[in-house]
């Protein structure tokens, strides 16, 4: 679309409910070499801002303050939230200085009062556009973040589910009780274990981690308890085990469900008596260790199946913590995405300042089978690969982009063809899936998750809808 326009010094979006104002302002901008996009309906303007920014096409916004429906303050807030580096210039009709000052406090670039002097406005626009164009080039431009609890926990999240986890952590951190953390892969089990350690009085002592699934069962005993010189071939000197290393600190046993049965007996004894012997040793070692375990298995079932000792299970499971999956707390996706944006910007020395609203919608619609770890990896890759200063839908990995409904600021059809060689079937499938997903989610939403009624609404059989839900990886509670 942009090739139809002559080269301009910048693109400015103007929104005012009065047509004569948008007319005058756009004429003035165009005369000075700017391209103007004008809107009299502020809701349409917001949509256009999202679409334009998703393609990084505007350099400044000029908005009236008092408009029906969506006011200028909301336009400003929307821009600050999603596109923090985009300058917003406020136009106010009554010269009410308070309103203008309050807009400045909330991050407006500048303001003019109506009736305004054209040269004044033009000077402000020129400054705004130049500032924006410079900001886009500056590496390491700091990202504004509205995510709370950055300091207290290195974990973020506002959902009730994760807030409850935070509460449990602070409540039990100081006690010596064993903790068992349950959760799918990538839900933050290790991070929670470390947070418990960090909030305990053991914080100055070691936090030692053992992954029970990664150590061959023949070596696990000497790993945990250490060995004496000559205990086995190759034991040329004695070596302390992880229990000793964790003395007065915390021992984190990851994937504890994988621990061999004969090892479980030995674990039980340490838990009961706080003592053990090194492999090949005769003397008994005393330790003071807080034990935290994690598993992505259903350990009660392992107990029933005889693969995990019941007595050990009860000893380890004194405080159980269940970590929610990411798809069960989608409201945290935005906070986490912004958290990782900030983190990777610093780490990778990039200047990515925001996520476009359509791209965020894509992140929020995806089901994240790999949970937070997967979101973290996706964010890192996008920040590394993007050419822009805003993450856009075209930066999303295909499996995430596929969740977007058709026409949702998605890659224009022309660009789809640039995938070389374009795979017609795959492209159509991706777009169709987006539409299917949107329809099904809407139907489920409207029926409060009732699959039978949602199926009726869609003209599908119940079975057919269930299959679709499964195929599209939609929320589990709908299955
Ligand atoms: N609430 C959170 N806030 C910020 N980052 C988080 C949060 N939860 C997890 N992470 C990050 O997500 C990644 C995965 O977390 P972690 O390794 O603790 O998961 P896990 O459950 O142990 O995964 P696995 O089962 O694969 O071992 C880590 O980089 C971690 O720092
Ligand atoms: Mg882990």
């Amino acid at each position: 679309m942009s090739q139809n326009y002559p080269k301009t010094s910048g693109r400015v979006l103007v929104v005012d409910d009065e047509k004569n104002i948008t007319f005058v302002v756009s004429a003035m901008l165009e005369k000075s070499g700017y391209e103007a996009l004008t809107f009299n309906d502020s809701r349409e303007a917001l949509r256009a801002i999202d679409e334009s920014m998703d393609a990084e096409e505007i350099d400044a916004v000029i908005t009236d303050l008092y408009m029906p429906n969506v006011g200028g303050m909301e336009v400003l807030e929307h821009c600050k939230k999603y596109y923090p580096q985009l300058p917003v210039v406020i136009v106010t009709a009554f010269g009410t200085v308070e309103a203008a000052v309050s807009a400045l406090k909330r991050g407006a670039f500048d303001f003019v009062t109506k009736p305004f002097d054209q040269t004044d406005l033009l000077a402000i626009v020129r400054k705004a556009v130049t500032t924006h164009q410079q900001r886009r080039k500056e590496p390491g431009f700091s990202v504004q973040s509205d995510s709370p609890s950055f300091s207290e926990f290195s974990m973020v999240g506002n959902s009730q589910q994760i807030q409850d986890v935070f509460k449990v952590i602070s409540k039990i951190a100081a006690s010596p009780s064993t903790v068992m953390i349950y959760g799918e892969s990538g839900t933050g089990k290790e991070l929670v274990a470390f947070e418990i350690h960090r909030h305990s009085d053991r914080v100055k002592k070691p936090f030692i981690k053992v992954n029970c699934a990664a150590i061959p069962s023949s070596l696990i005993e000497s790993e945990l308890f250490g060995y004496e010189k000559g205990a086995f071939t190759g034991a040329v000197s004695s070596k302390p085990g992880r229990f000793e290393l964790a003395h007065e600190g915390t021992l984190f046993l990851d994937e504890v469900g994988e621990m061999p049965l004969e090892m479980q007996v030995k674990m039980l004894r340490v838990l009961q008596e706080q003592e053990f012997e090194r492999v090949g040793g005769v003397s008994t070692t005393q330790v003071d260790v807080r034990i935290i375990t994690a598993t992505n298995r259903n350990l009660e079932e392992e107990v029933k199946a005889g693969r995990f000792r019941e007595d050990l299970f009860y000893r380890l499971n004194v405080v159980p913590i269940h970590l929610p999956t990411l798809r069960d707390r989608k409201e945290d996706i935005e906070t986490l995405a912004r958290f990782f944006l900030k983190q990777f910007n610093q780490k990778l020395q990039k200047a990515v300042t925001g996520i476009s609203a359509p791209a965020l919608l894509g992140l929020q619609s995806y089901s994240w089978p790999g949970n937070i770890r997967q979101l973290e990896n996706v964010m890192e890759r996008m920040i590394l690969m993007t050419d822009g200063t805003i993450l856009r839908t075209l930066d999303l990995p295909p499996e995430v982009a596929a969740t977007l409904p058709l026409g949702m600021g998605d890659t224009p059809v022309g660009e789809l063809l640039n995938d070389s060689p374009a795979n017609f079937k795959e492209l159509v499938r991706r777009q169709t899936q987006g539409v299917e997903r949107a329809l099904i989610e809407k139907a489920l939403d409207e029926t409060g998750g009732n699959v039978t009624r949602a199926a009726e609404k869609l003209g599908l059989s119940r079975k057919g809808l269930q299959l679709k839900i499964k195929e599209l990886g939609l929320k589990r509670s709908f299955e």
Side-chain angles (χ1 to χ4, degrees), residues 189-190 209 252 254 373:
K189 297 186 290 297
E190 185 170 343
K209 183 193 155 181
F252 174 51
D254 204 358
R373 185 192 313 290

Side-chain angles (χ1 to χ4, degrees), residues 153-157 162 166 181-193 209 211 252 254-255 294-296 323 329 332 336 339-340 343 370-374 376-377:
F153 284 98
S154 61
M155 298 183 70
V156 294
I162 204 72
F166 292 166
I181 306 165
Y182 298 87
E184 276 183 17
S185 170
T187 47
K189 297 186 290 297
E190 185 170 343
L191 191 59
V192 166
K209 183 193 155 181
N211 186 340
F252 174 51
D254 204 358
E255 306 201 41
T295 179
N296 51 25
L323 291 186
R329 51 180 182 113
D332 283 341
L336 283 162
F339 175 83
F340 292 132
Q343 200 169 303
N371 294 295
I372 303 179
R373 185 192 313 290
Q374 189 188 6
E376 187 179 17
N377 293 342

Side-chain angles (χ1 to χ4, degrees), residues 84-132:
Q85 87 288 23
L86 177 67
V88 178
V89 176
I90 303 283
V91 178
T92 163
F94 311 107
T96 45
V97 183
E98 297 95 276
V101 168
S102 137
L104 285 181
K105 277 197 191 138
R106 291 191 214 183
F109 185 80
D110 210 336
F111 72 94
V112 286
T113 45
K114 278 192 251 183
F116 50 82
D117 185 86
Q118 292 209 11
T119 31
D120 284 354
L121 181 60
L122 199 57
I124 291 174
V125 168
R126 195 166 285 140
K127 209 162 86 198
V129 169
T130 332
T131 308
H132 181 244

Side-chain angles (χ1 to χ4, degrees), residues 28 35 53 56 59 103 135 172 189 195 199 204 214 216 279 295-296 305 321 335-336 351-352 358 439:
M28 172 200 89
E35 186 187 323
M53 287 312 282
E56 269 201 287
D59 294 299
R135 280 179 187 173
I172 56 98
K189 297 186 290 297
E195 285 306 316
H199 283 75
K204 296 213 169 74
V279 177
T295 179
N296 51 25
I321 296 181
T335 315
L336 283 162
V352 184
L439 284 172

Side-chain angles (χ1 to χ4, degrees), residues 14-27:
V14 186
V15 47
D16 195 311
D17 54 320
E18 285 173 61
K19 281 213 169 78
N20 53 344
I21 298 275
T22 46
F23 180 78
V24 169
V25 173
S26 64

Side-chain angles (χ1 to χ4, degrees), residues 238-258:
S238 59
K239 194 182 161 214
R242 307 284 173 103
F243 264 97
E244 274 173 81
L245 296 176
H247 185 51
E248 296 186 318
T250 306
L251 181 66
F252 174 51
L253 299 173
D254 204 358
E255 306 201 41
V256 72
E258 312 296 316

